[in-house]
Amino acid sequence: MTDAADSANNQPPGYVPPSVWTWDQPSGGTWASINRPISGATHEAALPVGDHPLQLYSMGTPNGQKVTIMLEELLAAGHAGAEYDAWLIDIGKGDQFGSGFVGVNPNSKIPALMDHSTTPPTRLFESGSILFYLAEKFGAFLPTDHHKRAETMNWLMWQMGSAPFVGGGFGHFYAYAPFKIEYAINRYAMEAKRQLHVLDTQLARHQFVAGDDYTIADMAIWPWYGALVLGDAYRGDGYDAQQFLGAGEYENVQRWAEQIAAREPVKRGRIVNRTAEGKLRERHAASDFDRIGAAAGERV
């Protein structure tokens, strides 16, 4: 416990942790409304269901992009059964706490997927679980060779365990916290750079993260780390994570990130369930991208 005499050095000055934490103080910051210390639904809200067997409920955050990229890659590879409806779950408005969504994912986090091609329908949550399920279902982007498959799963699990330090750690304190805390930013910047170095070292030896094959490991890692080195993450008025972390020094990650970004299914998948101009709020057919591309005056 911090001694009261030292509390002037705390952030905010004078703060001393109580003996027992209680939920009577707002967490503050950009995403404060998505945090609560209890689980479960806050309101009744049924989920919509479209025409396709695969129904995705998500938002175009890095975790959401993993799944839409995978689905678009499957369709591009000729797996017609991967057609899907993607419904926006606006986490800023609390859609993830609706009863229907909680029924699919009791953890109230995007993405969540329902596969209506099975009897009864199969519910899926956690992005890594969804990627693995789809890879097995369609026999794609997950090697069958024992060692290659194990390596792919190693890196998929690496991403699942590492990215919270980049997002909830570095990204939160660097970009979203209500005030800047030097200790927190330094701690998580160090870890973010360590992770980038891990990835850079691996990519110095291989074309893709898990070896010579493009796999679900790349699809999981790219929306987080690829976006970071390309300058598409934690960048705004007064902050630029790409510059702050010296992302340009990770040349192998940069090469890989640009290679993945150039893939047409990735271009499509990364704009689904996003509300900004030129993005796709919902996706129900491949032709939805044609309308976005025409409006933007360029190929998506």
Side-chain angles (χ1 to χ4, degrees):
M1 182 66 65
T2 301
D3 189 274
D6 298 327
S7 65
N9 295 322
N10 292 350
Q11 290 291 335
Y15 171 73
V16 176
S19 298
V20 178
W21 184 85
T22 57
W23 188 24
D24 56 6
Q25 295 293 325
S27 62
T30 303
W31 297 103
S33 63
I34 72 171
N35 298 315
R36 51 202 291 264
I38 56 175
S39 63
T42 61
H43 59 282
E44 293 294 320
L47 289 176
V49 179
D51 295 332
H52 304 300
L54 297 178
Q55 297 293 302
L56 178 66
Y57 305 99
S58 188
M59 188 173 181
T61 67
N63 286 333
Q65 290 178 38
K66 297 176 193 176
V67 178
T68 47
I69 287 172
M70 173 62 163
L71 289 166
E72 292 299 328
E73 289 282 8
L74 287 168
L75 290 170
H79 298 280
E83 268 294 351
Y84 68 103
D85 292 277
W87 305 93
L88 176 66
I89 299 296
D90 191 331
I91 61 176
K93 295 180 179 178
D95 292 351
Q96 71 276 30
F97 300 123
S99 58
F101 189 86
V102 173
V104 180
N105 184 0
N107 196 38
S108 292
K109 302 289 184 182
I110 62 92
L113 180 73
M114 288 295 294
D115 182 359
H116 292 271
S117 71
T118 66
T119 305
T122 302
R123 77 170 186 178
L124 295 147
F125 57 91
E126 291 297 327
S127 56
S129 174
I130 296 172
L131 291 179
F132 177 68
Y133 177 88
L134 292 173
E136 287 213 313
K137 180 181 179 70
F138 293 101
F141 304 113
L142 180 61
T144 56
D145 172 83
H146 172 79
H147 292 95
K148 292 181 179 180
R149 184 183 181 89
E151 189 69 359
T152 300
M153 294 305 294
N154 286 341
W155 286 102
L156 176 63
M157 294 302 110
W158 176 85
Q159 187 279 319
M160 297 295 290
S162 297
F165 290 95
V166 173
F170 170 73
H172 175 78
F173 287 107
Y174 176 68
Y176 301 138
F179 51 85
K180 305 303 181 188
I181 304 173
E182 182 181 12
Y183 171 79
I185 292 173
N186 286 344
R187 172 181 171 84
Y188 287 110
M190 182 180 297
E191 175 61 12
K193 287 184 69 68
R194 189 194 70 81
Q195 291 178 12
L196 285 169
H197 190 262
V198 169
L199 196 56
D200 196 66
T201 302
Q202 174 71 1
L203 287 166
R205 299 191 295 262
H206 302 284
Q207 180 180 7
F208 297 106
V209 173
D212 297 327
D213 300 318
Y214 176 60
T215 69
I216 55 174
D218 298 284
M219 298 177 204
I221 294 169
W222 184 86
W224 284 100
Y225 299 88
L228 190 60
V229 301
L230 293 176
D232 293 335
Y234 312 122
R235 188 174 188 174
D237 186 16
Y239 58 94
D240 184 339
Q242 180 191 42
Q243 178 180 348
F244 182 76
L245 293 175
E249 68 188 74
Y250 305 103
E251 296 179 357
N252 300 300
V253 181
Q254 190 81 33
R255 182 268 307 164
W256 165 84
E258 292 172 354
Q259 181 181 359
I260 303 299
R263 297 178 66 90
E264 290 299 323
V266 174
K267 293 180 182 180
R268 292 192 293 272
R270 70 183 303 193
I271 68 170
V272 175
N273 293 145
R274 298 174 69 179
T275 58
E277 184 178 356
K279 311 300 182 185
L280 204 59
R281 179 183 176 89
E282 293 180 358
R283 187 267 190 214
H284 303 290
S287 58
D288 293 340
F289 295 105
D290 297 332
R291 292 196 298 273
I292 294 294
E298 60 183 19
R299 187 180 182 191
V300 174

